[in-house]
Amino acid sequence: AGSRDGEAMAGGSVSANVGDAEVHGEFALFGTDGRGVDGGFLGTRGVVAKGLLGASYTIDLWRGIRVAAEYHHSGFGLENVGRDPSVLFDTDFQRRFLRGDSQILGRHVLALVISSELSDEVSAGVSYLQGLTDGSGLVSTTFTWVASDTFTLVLNAIVPWGTPPEGGIPRSEYGSSPFTLFLQARLYD
């Protein structure tokens, strides 16, 4: 419980082992003045809810494959990014988004992450994000090669889908994201 920028908030989290899996959840309610809020909790802009449900499990195959899945809800997010993008220009909404009231642009997202160490030197992972309102999403892959104590090579690729922006204005949550290929060489002293 506390206050952020003059707005009251209360929340909690829980995690537990269920067999060999881990499950976790977070829930918070924020009292707001209604400014910069596209939705609200139970029909009011004066209260906003955020929540997360997730689980992780390590499959005993090769060196272990870690699988994690989460559902994220943000009442601070937009109900539908493409339906009325004018809210993106609301300075109160921008202030809330930039200070981190929401980590997603929309309201509902599913995430799946699969990762593994393929050898002592190579690890790989793939992340899948799916916006549940507009069907947009992305897949991100990561490969890391630790060649020595002084050199590491990282390769990332991001492949998004969804309605592309029009005139620089987003029409879907992930459709504005560009295809990205990133290669990083890390040199240590």
Side-chain angles (χ1 to χ4, degrees):
S3 176
R4 180 173 184 186
D5 199 24
E7 296 178 339
M9 60 176 280
S13 64
V14 64
S15 65
N17 290 333
V18 177
D20 291 336
E22 175 274 340
V23 295
H24 57 274
E26 301 173 10
F27 185 74
L29 289 172
F30 298 81
T32 75
D33 59 10
R35 292 182 300 152
V37 177
D38 186 44
F41 184 63
L42 300 177
T44 176
R45 289 176 180 239
V47 179
V48 173
K50 287 179 65 173
L52 178 135
L53 293 174
S56 65
Y57 181 76
T58 300
I59 301 169
D60 189 19
L61 189 64
W62 297 301
R63 295 174 161 248
I65 299 173
R66 184 170 187 275
V67 178
E70 288 188 342
Y71 161 75
H72 186 107
H73 167 76
S74 175
F76 288 111
L78 301 177
E79 184 177 342
N80 186 318
V81 176
R83 185 175 25 200
D84 182 14
S86 66
V87 73
L88 297 172
F89 300 99
D90 180 296
T91 56
D92 288 318
F93 176 81
Q94 291 174 358
R95 179 182 53 82
R96 286 192 181 282
F97 190 76
L98 291 173
R99 79 175 181 190
D101 285 355
S102 184
Q103 290 74 37
I104 57 177
L105 189 56
R107 290 222 187 120
H108 307 278
V109 172
L110 285 179
L112 177 67
V113 178
I114 301 171
S115 61
S116 182
E117 289 187 14
L118 304 177
S119 69
D120 288 341
E121 299 83 21
V122 178
S123 63
V126 62
S127 300
Y128 169 81
L129 295 175
Q130 178 69 58
L132 298 180
T133 305
D134 60 22
S136 66
L138 62 83
V139 171
S140 172
T141 59
T142 302
F143 296 93
T144 304
W145 173 43
V146 180
S148 69
D149 290 342
T150 59
F151 180 70
T152 300
L153 200 60
V154 180
L155 176 64
N156 298 93
I158 299 173
V159 179
W161 62 87
T163 305
E166 290 180 17
I169 299 172
R171 298 293 177 188
S172 65
E173 187 159 4
Y174 295 102
S176 299
S177 302
F179 170 80
T180 304
L181 191 60
F182 178 76
L183 180 63
Q184 180 183 55
R186 301 176 184 165
L187 299 171
Y188 304 101
D189 196 0

